[in-house]
Amino acid sequence: MSEDEILFETRGHAGVVTLNRPKALNALSHGMVRALAAQMNAWREDDAVRLVVLRAAGERAFCAGGDIRRIYDQGQAGDPHKVDFFADEYRMNVAIKRYPKPWVSLIDGIVMGGGVGISVHGSHRVGTERTVFAMPETGIGFFPDVGGSYFLPRLRGETGMLAALSAGRMKQADALWTGVLTHAVASADLDGLLDALAESGSPDEVLAARARTAADLAEGEAPLAERETRIADVFGRDSVAAILNELDQVTGADANWAAGLADTIRSKSPTSLEIAFRQVRRGADLDFEDCMRMEYRIVSRILEGKDFYEGVRAVLVDKDNTPHWTPANLEDVREADVEAHFSAPAGGDLDV
């Protein structure tokens, strides 16, 4: 890791973290994860730091995820340490969830995958009109990790399952309505907001005075809110196949929406869809640490499979966007193969 990939400073009462890889959409490298974890420990013991504020350089992305291409290269080379990044990342996610001081993320632009992991588990998630949230993992043969097992089933209604299976994007209004965000602000107000947070040290007070209501947002009311009942009915079904069948039966005003969504889901890795469905359902009844142990089990198995490498090849390496999944069809995914992802790995469970 170069020294300037992630920056730390103390400003007033705030410990300020700046993700500083704008050309890479601020994707997290292993070095960045380790550096952030170490700085969190230092600030935890520093009485002068009352809160942590996380922001990012550039205008396109808060953080588009982890450095998946690096993991792909390790896997192709047979590196036995390819899972180490995830172990450290997941431990950091737990540390953020349990952090004793306010953790305020200023989200301006894309927030996906690993970027969600370093923000959504904090106490305050502040998003601008440029916010674009998604968990796109099923499209690369992966699964919605970094605590997706915990926060997705706790979003409003069944919107978490919708996000997990479809990799669909949410903008500011939907992200606020579902619970991904706790507050909404204007991008132009972020610098002033940071100054106020650093001066006050009290995020609740500052955000109460500066955050926008749903009525003030550029999109107006959340588009997903208009389909809340439909989403709950469709995505509350007891299997991926049943969800797809329900989408196929939709008629009337929602017919085009349902057909497009069904086509999108069917384009994802069938194995990833089955894993994601189970992890979201099971995560609803688990505490955060158990969710992360479950996800470590899943990732340990996925990195030994085929679909992740095929998905990354199609999207990031050859960029032909035509992955060839194994198996190719949902009905050919074997129950035993899916369940194997939830068994303890040979190296043991994640220590969190």
Side-chain angles (χ1 to χ4, degrees), residues 39-61:
Q39 189 63 57
M40 289 170 63
N41 289 334
W43 280 337
R44 184 185 290 111
E45 306 304 322
D46 187 344
D47 292 338
V49 175
R50 296 185 189 174
L51 75 162
V52 175
V53 180
L54 187 61
R55 63 175 185 166
E59 298 182 350
R60 295 180 60 197

Side-chain angles (χ1 to χ4, degrees), residues 41-321:
N41 289 334
W43 280 337
R44 184 185 290 111
E45 306 304 322
D46 187 344
D47 292 338
V49 175
R50 296 185 189 174
L51 75 162
V52 175
V53 180
L54 187 61
R55 63 175 185 166
E59 298 182 350
R60 295 180 60 197
F62 171 77
C63 176
D67 193 351
I68 293 297
R69 176 59 191 267
R70 169 65 175 164
I71 305 302
Y72 170 89
D73 290 340
Q74 286 182 291
Q76 295 297 93
D79 187 343
H81 299 291
K82 56 185 177 291
V83 76
D84 292 356
F85 168 81
F86 295 100
D88 287 340
E89 184 182 30
Y90 294 175
R91 291 189 188 102
M92 180 183 65
N93 296 148
V94 173
I96 292 170
K97 179 67 176 176
R98 303 304 180 198
Y99 207 64
K101 300 179 180 183
W103 185 276
V104 185
S105 297
L106 304 182
I107 300 168
D108 191 34
I110 296 168
V111 56
M112 298 183 182
V116 177
I118 59 174
S119 57
V120 77
H121 307 305
S123 58
H124 301 75
R125 289 94 64 188
V126 184
T128 76
E129 72 279 4
R130 298 195 299 202
T131 297
V132 179
F133 160 90
M135 296 298 285
E137 292 83 2
T138 55
I140 57 166
F142 202 57
F143 71 107
D145 67 333
V146 295
S149 304
Y150 185 87
F151 82 84
L152 287 170
R154 289 163 176 82
L155 295 183
R156 191 164 185 161
E158 289 289 343
T159 55
M161 184 64 80
L162 166 63
L165 299 183
S166 71
R169 300 186 174 196
M170 296 184 200
K171 295 184 180 180
Q172 186 186 39
D174 279 335
L176 183 65
W177 180 77
T178 59
V180 172
L181 299 178
T182 58
H183 299 83
V185 299
S187 180
D189 295 338
L190 283 180
D191 288 343
L193 176 59
L194 176 57
D195 290 340
L197 289 167
E199 180 180 354
S200 168
S202 176
D204 288 334
E205 177 182 309
V206 171
L207 288 166
R210 292 171 176 261
R212 298 186 171 196
T213 66
D216 297 326
L217 304 184
E219 295 173 85
E221 294 299 322
L224 287 178
E226 299 176 6
R227 293 193 172 99
E228 181 177 11
T229 301
R230 174 77 75 181
I231 291 169
D233 181 52
V234 170
F235 288 90
R237 303 287 163 164
D238 60 3
S239 69
V240 179
I243 288 171
L244 287 169
N245 181 67
E246 192 66 21
L247 286 171
D248 290 341
Q249 304 306 312
V250 173
T251 59
D254 285 341
N256 289 339
W257 168 81
L261 197 51
D263 287 345
T264 296
I265 293 172
R266 287 187 170 103
S267 72
K268 311 305 182 187
S269 159
T271 300
S272 291
L273 291 174
E274 293 289 0
I275 292 169
F277 179 86
R278 285 163 173 76
Q279 72 165 115
V280 171
R281 286 287 185 259
R282 295 177 188 185
D285 298 319
L286 299 177
D287 67 19
F288 193 77
E289 285 77 5
D290 282 340
C291 281
M292 299 316 299
R293 293 186 187 97
M294 177 174 67
E295 291 184 14
Y296 184 73
R297 291 182 172 194
I298 297 170
V299 76
S300 297
R301 188 74 59 154
I302 272 188
L303 293 181
E304 300 303 323
K306 297 179 180 179
D307 273 8
F308 169 68
Y309 300 102
E310 173 59 14
V312 175
R313 178 207 64 77
V315 175
L316 298 178
V317 181
D318 297 337
K319 300 181 180 180
D320 57 25
N321 292 307

